[in-house]
Amino acid sequence: MKKIIFDTDPGIDDAMALILAHASQDIEVVGITTTFGNASIENTTRNALYLKQKFGMLAEVAQGVDTPLDQVKTEPATLVHGDNGLGNVEIPDQINAPLSPLVAHDYIVETIKKQPGEITLVAVGRLTNLALAIQQAPEIAQLVKEVIIMGGAFGHNGHTGNLTPFAEANVYGDPLAADIVINADWPVTMVGLDVTQQTLMSNAYLEKLRTNSTKYGQFIHDITRFYAKFYNDDLGLDGFYVHDSSAIMYLIAPEIFTTKRGHIRVITEGAAKGHTLFKNSDRVFPIDEWTHKPKQTIAINVESQIFNQRYFDIVCSN
Ligand code: BDR
Ligand code: CA
């Protein structure tokens, strides 16, 4: 059983990823830490508590901060995820799930220290909480099992950005945090647009999921109507790309992903803000801001048909 803390900004695809993790026999979601992005921190936290309550999740929920490290705030992505962050499906005013008294980064530090070598951090939003945790307690780098991030774009399969031509939204939203987290001395795998935009869930697939998964099908179908419309209006897609669930799937079925290792830096300002740059070779240059950093892993390909079948089988198994 792989124990995870899921750092997230639910978020329609975040909710689908959390459902996958919760439904999987291979994963125990120990904690859910919230970040801002797809919606305000208040809304993403409310949505996390709602998901916990609705599906009987045991994970503790801890709220994160509401500002990126560079203090440059951006508007929530309501165009993609709706005003409430969950495609404007109705969410009750009163949610009876408890919130941790700890702020997310303290929760992350405390939980990792309590269970050394056990916890995998899976981050599918901006990396602010993880950056604050590792800055505050660098020793957790040696205590965490691994760090899996949905974020970045390295140009494989033609994918270089979604929010800007050269930046993926989670990295763009806090590029300083991303550079800190990616370059800390812990094992990181980045599951970026290179693979997440290779998997598409069509409306027919979601309809099949609706009728086959008694527990989750209708909910997934309902929250994704808004998301699918955005992708159709914006890119003419029938359905949508599968971002955050790709990070969870990497944990469940790493064998369906192709990866490579190298050094990564993030551009933190200017026109290319949020751009992730991967250095492939071991050549040392006269000026080199890459080589002295730890080597990390990026996902560059995925077997998308197997992915969709696995997602379906797991979600429909209960
Ligand atoms: C990422 O941005 C967010 O909108 C999604 O939830 C996903 O984590 C994709 O770029
Ligand atoms: Ca997300």
Side-chain angles (χ1 to χ4, degrees), residues 167-231:
E168 181 281 326
N170 289 340
V171 173
Y172 181 92
D174 195 339
L176 281 175
D179 199 50
I180 289 168
V181 171
I182 294 166
N183 288 301
D185 198 13
W186 52 14
V188 171
T189 300
M190 296 201 71
V191 179
L193 301 182
D194 312 64
V195 293
T196 69
Q197 294 195 156
Q198 290 298 102
T199 305
L200 183 92
M201 287 181 178
S202 68
N203 286 307
Y205 175 94
L206 291 150
E207 178 56 26
K208 214 168 132 207
L209 203 61
R210 186 176 75 80
T211 51
N212 281 271
S213 167
T214 326
K215 189 163 175 192
Y216 307 109
Q218 188 66 49
F219 179 74
I220 291 176
H221 184 270
D222 291 349
I223 60 171
T224 54
R225 294 311 81 215
F226 193 94
Y227 200 53
K229 183 176 183 316
F230 166 79
Y231 271 102

Side-chain angles (χ1 to χ4, degrees), residues 1-6 20-22 24-31 115 117-122 145-146 148 247-255 310:
M1 191 66 114
K2 296 174 179 175
K3 293 183 180 183
I4 69 167
I5 295 176
F6 188 61
L20 176 65
H22 181 60
S24 166
Q25 305 280 343
D26 300 326
I27 295 178
E28 179 190 345
V29 187
V30 172
Q115 302 183 61
E118 294 274 307
I119 302 287
T120 294
L121 292 172
V122 182
K145 197 161 179 203
E146 60 174 323
I148 300 172
I248 297 292
M249 190 60 81
Y250 180 77
L251 199 58
I252 298 171
E255 67 281 359
R310 287 297 286 273

Side-chain angles (χ1 to χ4, degrees), residues 110-305:
E110 192 164 289
T111 308
I112 290 171
K113 283 187 173 176
K114 268 196 215 148
Q115 302 183 61
E118 294 274 307
I119 302 287
T120 294
L121 292 172
V122 182
V124 299
R126 296 163 191 218
L127 291 160
T128 320
N129 295 331
L130 270 66
L132 291 172
I134 190 78
Q135 279 187 325
Q136 175 181 312
E139 65 276 17
I140 62 168
Q142 309 308 318
L143 304 175
V144 88
K145 197 161 179 203
E146 60 174 323
V147 181
I148 300 172
I149 294 168
M150 188 280 123
F154 298 92
H156 293 274
N157 304 309
H159 304 307
T160 55
N162 56 359
L163 189 59
T164 85
F166 294 102
E168 181 281 326
N170 289 340
V171 173
Y172 181 92
D174 195 339
L176 281 175
D179 199 50
I180 289 168
V181 171
I182 294 166
N183 288 301
D185 198 13
W186 52 14
V188 171
T189 300
M190 296 201 71
V191 179
L193 301 182
D194 312 64
V195 293
T196 69
Q197 294 195 156
Q198 290 298 102
T199 305
L200 183 92
M201 287 181 178
S202 68
N203 286 307
Y205 175 94
L206 291 150
E207 178 56 26
K208 214 168 132 207
L209 203 61
R210 186 176 75 80
T211 51
N212 281 271
S213 167
T214 326
K215 189 163 175 192
Y216 307 109
Q218 188 66 49
F219 179 74
I220 291 176
H221 184 270
D222 291 349
I223 60 171
T224 54
R225 294 311 81 215
F226 193 94
Y227 200 53
K229 183 176 183 316
F230 166 79
Y231 271 102
N232 188 259
D233 292 347
D234 196 47
L235 297 172
L237 296 182
D238 167 26
F240 48 80
Y241 294 137
V242 184
H243 297 301
D244 293 350
S245 293
S246 295
I248 297 292
M249 190 60 81
Y250 180 77
L251 199 58
I252 298 171
E255 67 281 359
I256 69 171
F257 293 83
T258 311
T259 59
K260 66 179 184 179
R261 287 179 57 74
H263 305 278
I264 304 161
R265 294 306 304 260
V266 179
I267 306 299
T268 53
E269 53 191 18
K273 176 176 158 178
H275 188 45
T276 43
L277 275 171
F278 182 83
K279 179 170 179 275
N280 221 349
S281 77
D282 288 326
R283 179 178 163 190
V284 180
F285 291 79
I287 301 171
D288 193 334
E289 299 280 345
W290 275 255
T291 305
H292 62 287
K293 301 287 185 186
K295 269 193 179 174
Q296 305 292 16
T297 303
I298 63 170
I300 58 170
N301 258 312
V302 60
E303 295 185 60
S304 50
Q305 274 185 343

